[in-house]
Structure formats: C-alpha cells, structure tokens
Amino acid sequence: MTDLGAVFPHKVTYHPSCHGSRLLGVKEEPMQLMQNIRDLELVPLPHAEDCCGFGGTFAVKMCDISGAMVSEKSDHVLETEAEVLVGLDMGCLMNIAGNLSYRGKPVKVMHLAELLFEGVKLAHERS
C-alpha cells in the first residue's frame, strides 16, 4: 500500500541516505509513498546520491571533510527552494538540520514517518 490518503501542501525534497539506499537497498519505496501524498510538490535534490558527511565517527574523525560535505549537501537542499527536507536516516537529518540552522535557513527537516503522520492527520482534519 503506497497511498495512505495523506495530504501535505508543501514543497518537499528527499535525501536518500547512504545507509538506506546503499546498505539496505531502500530506493524507490520512499518516493512511491511521497508521490501518493496529495498537494505535495516533490522536487528532485541535485546530487541526491552524495553523502551528507555524517557517517557516524567519520564526522568526528574527519570533521573538516564532514563539514564541507554537509555544507555542500545543504547548498543543494537550498537550490530546490523546498520548504521541507525529508529523509530516513536520523543521523543525516540531524547533520543537515544542524547545518541549515547554523546558517539561519528556515528549511524544516523531517523523517518520512513524521511527514506521513502529519499528512494523514491533516487529511482526517479536512474530512
């Protein structure tokens, strides 16, 4: 089931984490779910496949490289002009959200489960 009857009237972009897409093979499923959310404008993230730079201890051991990677990822998020960045990996989401917040950028960062919850809730409120 990919249509939960959700409604989410926002411009959204999606970051496919390295862990989810490369290690677990989760690739099309998140996109299928989001494509079935009414009023959601899904915009492609440039260089989506690029790592955000978190990678567990990598962010600590190689902080300069990690910082450059998350800055570049945040630049691509901002290019989309999306109101919301969605992903599946909380490490990535915290890393990108932290960089966007540090830069004073108002992009909301959400896990896909949060977006679906909000979308289903809004659909029920409207009915």
Side-chain angles (χ1 to χ4, degrees), residues 16-17 19 33 40 45 59 64 79 87 96 103 113 117:
S17 68
H19 186 259
L33 286 166
L40 183 145
L45 178 63
D64 290 340
E79 280 178 48
I96 300 166
R103 294 162 74 168
F117 174 78

mmCIF file of all heavy atoms in Angstrom, residues 16-17 19 33 40 45 59 64 79 87 96 103 113 117:
data_model
loop_
_atom_site.group_PDB
_atom_site.id
_atom_site.type_symbol
_atom_site.label_atom_id
_atom_site.label_comp_id
_atom_site.label_asym_id
_atom_site.label_seq_id
_atom_site.Cartn_x
_atom_site.Cartn_y
_atom_site.Cartn_z
ATOM 1 N N PRO A 16 18.239 10.690 0.009
ATOM 2 C CA PRO A 16 18.371 9.243 0.181
ATOM 3 C C PRO A 16 19.688 8.929 0.890
ATOM 4 O O PRO A 16 20.755 9.080 0.314
ATOM 5 C CB PRO A 16 18.371 8.716 -1.253
ATOM 6 C CG PRO A 16 18.971 9.833 -2.051
ATOM 7 C CD PRO A 16 18.581 11.119 -1.336
ATOM 8 N N SER A 17 19.616 8.528 2.119
ATOM 9 C CA SER A 17 20.835 8.297 2.899
ATOM 10 C C SER A 17 21.654 7.144 2.325
ATOM 11 O O SER A 17 21.120 6.222 1.704
ATOM 12 C CB SER A 17 20.485 7.996 4.356
ATOM 13 O OG SER A 17 19.834 6.742 4.443
ATOM 14 N N HIS A 19 23.133 4.831 4.050
ATOM 15 C CA HIS A 19 22.771 3.609 4.783
ATOM 16 C C HIS A 19 21.521 2.971 4.183
ATOM 17 O O HIS A 19 21.497 1.779 3.902
ATOM 18 C CB HIS A 19 22.564 3.928 6.264
ATOM 19 C CG HIS A 19 22.332 2.720 7.094
ATOM 20 N ND1 HIS A 19 21.079 2.351 7.503
ATOM 21 C CD2 HIS A 19 23.187 1.794 7.581
ATOM 22 C CE1 HIS A 19 21.159 1.231 8.210
ATOM 23 N NE2 HIS A 19 22.430 0.877 8.270
ATOM 24 N N LEU A 33 5.818 6.449 -1.822
ATOM 25 C CA LEU A 33 4.956 6.960 -0.761
ATOM 26 C C LEU A 33 4.706 8.459 -0.935
ATOM 27 O O LEU A 33 3.569 8.918 -0.853
ATOM 28 C CB LEU A 33 5.579 6.686 0.610
ATOM 29 C CG LEU A 33 5.527 5.242 1.086
ATOM 30 C CD1 LEU A 33 6.470 5.039 2.268
ATOM 31 C CD2 LEU A 33 4.107 4.846 1.459
ATOM 32 N N LEU A 40 1.414 17.550 -2.254
ATOM 33 C CA LEU A 40 2.854 17.604 -2.004
ATOM 34 C C LEU A 40 3.558 17.861 -3.337
ATOM 35 O O LEU A 40 3.309 17.158 -4.315
ATOM 36 C CB LEU A 40 3.337 16.285 -1.390
ATOM 37 C CG LEU A 40 4.815 16.232 -1.006
ATOM 38 C CD1 LEU A 40 4.973 15.385 0.254
ATOM 39 C CD2 LEU A 40 5.673 15.646 -2.112
ATOM 40 N N LEU A 45 16.347 16.536 -5.544
ATOM 41 C CA LEU A 45 17.507 17.099 -4.865
ATOM 42 C C LEU A 45 18.727 16.924 -5.760
ATOM 43 O O LEU A 45 19.092 15.786 -6.092
ATOM 44 C CB LEU A 45 17.725 16.387 -3.520
ATOM 45 C CG LEU A 45 18.926 16.816 -2.690
ATOM 46 C CD1 LEU A 45 18.801 18.283 -2.270
ATOM 47 C CD2 LEU A 45 19.055 15.926 -1.461
ATOM 48 N N ALA A 59 32.272 11.830 11.080
ATOM 49 C CA ALA A 59 32.015 13.242 11.354
ATOM 50 C C ALA A 59 32.938 13.794 12.437
ATOM 51 O O ALA A 59 33.246 14.979 12.451
ATOM 52 C CB ALA A 59 30.551 13.446 11.766
ATOM 53 N N ASP A 64 36.658 18.278 9.318
ATOM 54 C CA ASP A 64 36.762 19.290 8.255
ATOM 55 C C ASP A 64 36.108 18.803 6.966
ATOM 56 O O ASP A 64 35.364 19.544 6.313
ATOM 57 C CB ASP A 64 38.220 19.664 7.991
ATOM 58 C CG ASP A 64 38.849 20.455 9.128
ATOM 59 O OD1 ASP A 64 38.084 21.030 9.937
ATOM 60 O OD2 ASP A 64 40.088 20.495 9.218
ATOM 61 N N GLU A 79 19.049 24.936 -3.083
ATOM 62 C CA GLU A 79 18.812 25.110 -4.518
ATOM 63 C C GLU A 79 17.395 24.716 -4.916
ATOM 64 O O GLU A 79 16.827 25.278 -5.840
ATOM 65 C CB GLU A 79 19.772 24.244 -5.341
ATOM 66 C CG GLU A 79 21.152 24.784 -5.529
ATOM 67 C CD GLU A 79 22.003 23.797 -6.322
ATOM 68 O OE1 GLU A 79 21.549 23.304 -7.380
ATOM 69 O OE2 GLU A 79 23.128 23.507 -5.869
ATOM 70 N N GLY A 87 13.915 12.604 4.878
ATOM 71 C CA GLY A 87 14.868 11.508 4.775
ATOM 72 C C GLY A 87 14.459 10.364 5.676
ATOM 73 O O GLY A 87 13.421 10.420 6.353
ATOM 74 N N ILE A 96 22.234 17.550 8.619
ATOM 75 C CA ILE A 96 21.795 18.563 7.657
ATOM 76 C C ILE A 96 20.992 19.655 8.358
ATOM 77 O O ILE A 96 21.177 20.846 8.097
ATOM 78 C CB ILE A 96 20.992 17.920 6.510
ATOM 79 C CG1 ILE A 96 21.861 16.890 5.768
ATOM 80 C CG2 ILE A 96 20.485 18.988 5.548
ATOM 81 C CD1 ILE A 96 21.086 15.960 4.838
ATOM 82 N N ARG A 103 23.165 28.149 9.585
ATOM 83 C CA ARG A 103 23.171 29.139 8.508
ATOM 84 C C ARG A 103 21.923 30.032 8.532
ATOM 85 O O ARG A 103 21.787 30.923 7.702
ATOM 86 C CB ARG A 103 23.275 28.419 7.165
ATOM 87 C CG ARG A 103 24.616 27.719 7.013
ATOM 88 C CD ARG A 103 24.621 26.656 5.949
ATOM 89 N NE ARG A 103 24.629 27.207 4.608
ATOM 90 C CZ ARG A 103 24.865 26.483 3.515
ATOM 91 N NH1 ARG A 103 25.118 25.196 3.606
ATOM 92 N NH2 ARG A 103 24.845 27.040 2.351
ATOM 93 N N ALA A 113 8.467 9.160 8.197
ATOM 94 C CA ALA A 113 7.363 8.748 9.065
ATOM 95 C C ALA A 113 6.633 9.958 9.650
ATOM 96 O O ALA A 113 5.402 9.949 9.771
ATOM 97 C CB ALA A 113 7.876 7.843 10.186
ATOM 98 N N PHE A 117 2.726 10.895 8.994
ATOM 99 C CA PHE A 117 1.842 11.119 10.139
ATOM 100 C C PHE A 117 1.121 12.451 10.013
ATOM 101 O O PHE A 117 -0.097 12.542 10.166
ATOM 102 C CB PHE A 117 2.636 11.057 11.449
ATOM 103 C CG PHE A 117 1.805 11.415 12.648
ATOM 104 C CD1 PHE A 117 0.923 10.492 13.188
ATOM 105 C CD2 PHE A 117 1.893 12.671 13.217
ATOM 106 C CE1 PHE A 117 0.140 10.831 14.288
ATOM 107 C CE2 PHE A 117 1.120 13.019 14.309
ATOM 108 C CZ PHE A 117 0.237 12.095 14.851
#
